[in-house]
Amino acid sequence: MVDRYGDLRRRLTRRLGSADWADDALQDTYVRLNGSEVVGEVRNPVAYLLRAAFNNALNLRRAETRRLSADEVDALLHIADDAPDVLRIIEGRSDIERLKRIMTELTPRQREILLAARVDGLSRHEIADRLGISVSLVEKELRRAQEFCMLRFQQKTPR
């Protein structure tokens, strides 16, 4: 391999399109073959070395494509943490409890329509069928319930 290094490098550079890749592949091939025992006779040592180096280059390229670049790692390290902090969790729970209290001020039908639409995800038609009322009435009651909750929630002090 040492005697034919220049020829191997030139041929491998042509196949790989990069002298750096050829150098890396030849170095890796030398390290791998240097300490290993030959099992059987190699008829064409140059072709054998060229093929081994080419396969090593392909393996190095595959490994390289699996690794993140320095820019990709840097970008990952600077991703903002979207998880809510403790204060946001407490505020969210407080808002939920406040909304539950506000919803107790709705009429039972408005509360049922609001929960069916917003929590259960039912359509206006499904709610109307469930309650035995018109779709138009469902829409009116839902609008009233949402507006009431929004107005009450925007007030600074609860009643």
Side-chain angles (χ1 to χ4, degrees):
M1 182 171 181
V2 175
D3 294 338
R4 303 291 310 254
Y5 184 82
D7 180 47
L8 290 168
R9 182 177 186 270
R10 190 178 66 261
R11 291 170 68 181
L12 203 54
T13 299
R14 202 171 35 242
R15 287 189 74 187
L16 296 172
S18 166
D20 290 337
W21 280 101
D23 289 336
D24 289 345
L26 286 169
Q27 174 67 28
D28 192 49
T29 303
Y30 178 79
V31 169
R32 288 177 187 226
L33 294 177
N34 189 33
S36 65
E37 189 175 311
V38 177
V39 182
E41 183 182 337
V42 177
R43 289 188 199 148
N44 188 344
V46 173
Y48 177 79
L49 290 173
L50 189 61
R51 188 71 196 155
F54 185 74
N55 287 338
N56 281 333
L58 292 179
N59 290 338
L60 289 170
R61 273 196 181 160
R62 285 186 196 116
E64 190 68 29
T65 59
R66 284 188 222 123
R67 290 189 193 114
L68 297 176
S69 69
D71 290 338
E72 292 169 325
V73 170
D74 190 46
L76 287 173
L77 291 175
H78 290 91
I79 292 176
D81 185 6
D82 291 337
D85 59 6
V86 175
L87 182 60
R88 288 179 65 194
I89 291 171
I90 292 170
E91 287 174 347
R93 288 180 182 161
S94 175
D95 288 348
I96 290 171
E97 289 305 315
R98 186 164 173 228
L99 182 58
K100 284 180 181 178
R101 286 191 304 273
I102 291 170
M103 287 178 63
T104 63
E105 299 173 27
L106 294 171
T107 66
R109 183 169 64 190
Q110 286 176 337
R111 186 172 38 257
E112 188 173 355
I113 291 171
L114 182 62
L115 290 173
R118 298 296 174 228
V119 176
D120 299 335
L122 297 179
S123 70
R124 310 295 191 263
H125 292 284
E126 291 170 323
I127 297 169
D129 290 343
R130 178 190 279 183
L131 298 178
I133 59 177
S134 69
V135 173
S136 173
L137 185 55
V138 169
E139 290 172 349
K140 288 176 189 172
E141 291 285 49
L142 180 60
R143 187 173 40 256
R144 286 181 190 140
Q146 290 175 150
E147 288 172 357
F148 177 82
C149 289
M150 186 179 65
L151 288 172
R152 288 284 287 114
F153 201 81
Q154 289 173 349
Q155 292 176 348
K156 295 289 182 198
T157 56
R159 285 186 187 170

